[in-house]
Amino acid sequence: MNWVQPRLCRHSHGPAGDGRCRGQLLGAAGGGLPTTVRLNDREPVTDPSPAQRRIVAGARNAARILAFGGLLAVAVVLTRLLAGGQSVQVASVSVPVDRMWLVFTALTVAHVFTARFLAAYIEKYLDQMPSPMRAGWVFDEITTEGNVFVHGLISRAVSRRRLTFVHRMSRHDPSAWVARGAGILLVIAVPPWWWGRSGLQWSGDGWLVTLALVLPLVNWWAGSKWLISLSRLEDLRNRVERSAQDPVDESDIDDLKRLRVWLVPVRPRGSFEQSISTLLRLAERPLPIDDTQAQPPARSRPTGPRPPVESLTTSQRVSIAITYLILRASFPEADLPADPWFVTDAERSIYQSDWAQDRFQVGLVRRRWTEIELSN
């Protein structure tokens, strides 16, 4: 049994390095874990990528449309109650309340347009395998701003068991209550009614009642699309943090070896998420190299949990290192560290000569547009 010879630490002038590098080497030599697990550290993102900035800008635009429409609905309802249903000032233009349905329809079209592309941006970004820190940063950047339609948003990525297209809205989510209130106000604001001296009065086309029911449903559907996709960013961070302490077992190593041996360039997103999670856990937990370990008997289907890996063979380490280099080049948003303990200069040379042009990518999946949000 031996250990991979460590390269010079980037933070020092020798292989022992400063306290940070020495801690990792001592943890490896002692057979234990490093003193810290960086996967759980929520460090600020100082260099958001264009994809991250695009999502944040799109979410802010969608939230502004909803906020503007909500304020208009409040103004229209108050005008119908207090001013006899006269007119409302919209961007320096006086609009009669019986024509405000045109404004609400235009805002709904704008919301659907923004939501469609925003949800596609988020799903495409998830296909880039962003690191949990980057995915969480996008979610936090949007949900900590003052817009009431996203402020304090609680992740809605978890769907109900039987109806998988229905996603939970927490009772403790303030943005969920704001969305419900805005929907009710829109239903009240569109129909042609007002409060006069003789009480409630009605004058206008009956089809506006149908429109008053359709517009909130369309906005709810459009909002569900981009808010559920946004919630998946937080769900990614939570899943990675929950799995950060899980041991690496034999099936994880087998999956990494198959990923390189088969070299199927297009695979499902979940497959890459599992492989990257395994590599991150390996990078945090150095293992000894033992070429004398007995190979377990071949089994087509494991009958139970497989034991944690306590050491690697040289062949396994080389295979994992090449897989790691290909994945790191394929998914730069994953922020995989440049110098994990299992990658040596020899593997870098092999990668540059034989594998440098190979890339993985997530297979295209038809996105579901039937997803909606409902309260618990």
Side-chain angles (χ1 to χ4, degrees):
M1 180 182 298
N2 53 49
W3 294 88
V4 178
Q5 181 65 31
R7 61 176 55 83
L8 293 180
C9 178
R10 293 178 296 169
H11 307 284
S12 69
H13 298 288
D18 60 10
R20 175 168 34 176
C21 293
R22 284 197 302 270
Q24 294 178 0
L25 292 177
L26 289 175
L33 301 181
T35 56
T36 59
V37 178
R38 291 190 298 272
L39 290 179
N40 288 330
D41 294 341
R42 296 196 177 187
E43 301 174 358
V45 174
T46 58
D47 58 338
S49 65
Q52 289 176 283
R53 293 195 296 268
R54 188 181 300 116
I55 293 172
V56 171
R60 287 173 176 168
N61 289 337
R64 289 187 188 115
I65 292 172
L66 292 175
F68 183 62
L71 290 175
L72 280 182
V74 172
V76 169
V77 171
L78 291 178
T79 301
R80 292 186 184 280
L81 286 173
L82 305 178
Q86 297 301 314
S87 61
V88 177
Q89 200 80 8
V90 180
S92 301
V93 177
S94 182
V95 181
V97 292
D98 59 352
R99 292 290 183 268
M100 282 299 296
W101 65 269
L102 292 170
V103 178
F104 290 128
T105 301
L107 290 174
T108 299
V109 172
H111 183 212
V112 171
F113 178 85
T114 305
R116 172 66 180 85
F117 286 96
L118 177 56
Y121 288 153
I122 297 174
E123 294 297 333
K124 184 177 180 180
Y125 181 62
L126 285 170
D127 288 347
Q128 298 175 25
M129 299 292 108
S131 66
M133 182 179 66
R134 287 189 176 273
W137 178 88
V138 174
F139 184 85
D140 292 341
E141 189 74 6
I142 296 170
T143 60
T144 55
E145 65 176 32
N147 192 299
V148 294
F149 280 89
V150 291
H151 182 76
L153 174 72
I154 296 176
S155 176
R156 302 168 189 175
V158 180
S159 60
R160 297 177 185 269
R161 286 186 177 179
R162 295 183 180 178
L163 300 176
T164 56
F165 60 88
V166 178
H167 292 248
R168 294 187 177 95
M169 297 174 67
S170 172
R171 296 187 182 93
H172 305 289
D173 186 343
S175 64
W177 291 103
V178 171
R180 297 186 188 102
I184 294 173
L185 283 173
L186 187 56
V187 171
I188 299 174
V190 173
W193 65 273
W194 71 90
W195 190 266
R197 293 182 178 179
S198 58
L200 182 64
Q201 300 182 33
W202 187 280
S203 177
D205 297 326
W207 63 269
L208 288 175
V209 177
T210 302
L211 183 65
L213 297 176
V214 171
L215 289 181
L217 292 177
V218 173
N219 278 285
W220 193 276
W221 167 79
S224 296
K225 287 310 304 175
W226 69 271
L227 287 171
I228 290 172
S229 294
L230 179 65
S231 298
R232 292 193 174 110
L233 296 173
E234 170 70 356
D235 182 61
L236 171 63
R237 175 168 65 181
N238 292 336
R239 285 187 287 108
V240 172
E241 290 183 350
R242 284 195 302 267
S243 65
Q245 301 297 338
D246 293 342
V248 177
D249 59 31
E250 295 177 3
S251 61
D252 295 325
I253 301 299
D254 291 341
D255 288 339
L256 290 177
K257 292 173 63 178
R258 284 195 294 267
L259 191 64
R260 184 183 72 85
V261 172
W262 292 348
L263 199 63
V264 180
V266 179
R267 298 172 67 91
R269 181 194 297 169
S271 173
F272 289 124
E273 286 184 357
Q274 181 179 355
S275 299
I276 291 175
S277 174
T278 300
L279 290 170
L280 287 173
R281 284 178 284 150
L282 272 177
E284 296 290 340
R285 306 170 189 185
L287 296 174
I289 304 302
D290 183 8
D291 288 316
T292 65
Q293 58 179 311
Q295 295 296 326
R299 292 183 297 175
S300 58
R301 291 185 179 180
T303 57
R306 306 182 72 173
V309 174
E310 297 181 356
S311 63
L312 298 176
T313 65
T314 300
S315 174
Q316 288 175 326
R317 184 190 61 76
V318 172
S319 178
I320 291 171
I322 298 298
T323 300
Y324 184 89
L325 293 171
I326 298 175
L327 282 171
R328 188 171 186 272
S330 301
F331 304 114
E333 290 280 343
D335 287 339
L336 293 173
D339 297 310
W341 63 269
F342 48 81
V343 178
T344 66
D345 292 337
E347 282 75 61
R348 293 181 187 279
S349 177
I350 296 173
Y351 167 74
Q352 290 296 334
S353 61
D354 296 334
W355 303 92
Q357 302 303 319
D358 292 302
R359 293 291 187 272
F360 291 113
Q361 65 182 32
V362 176
L364 296 178
V365 179
R366 184 181 297 275
R367 309 300 182 193
R368 276 205 308 263
W369 278 85
T370 55
E371 293 175 319
I372 58 173
E373 301 166 340
L374 291 176
S375 61
N376 286 335

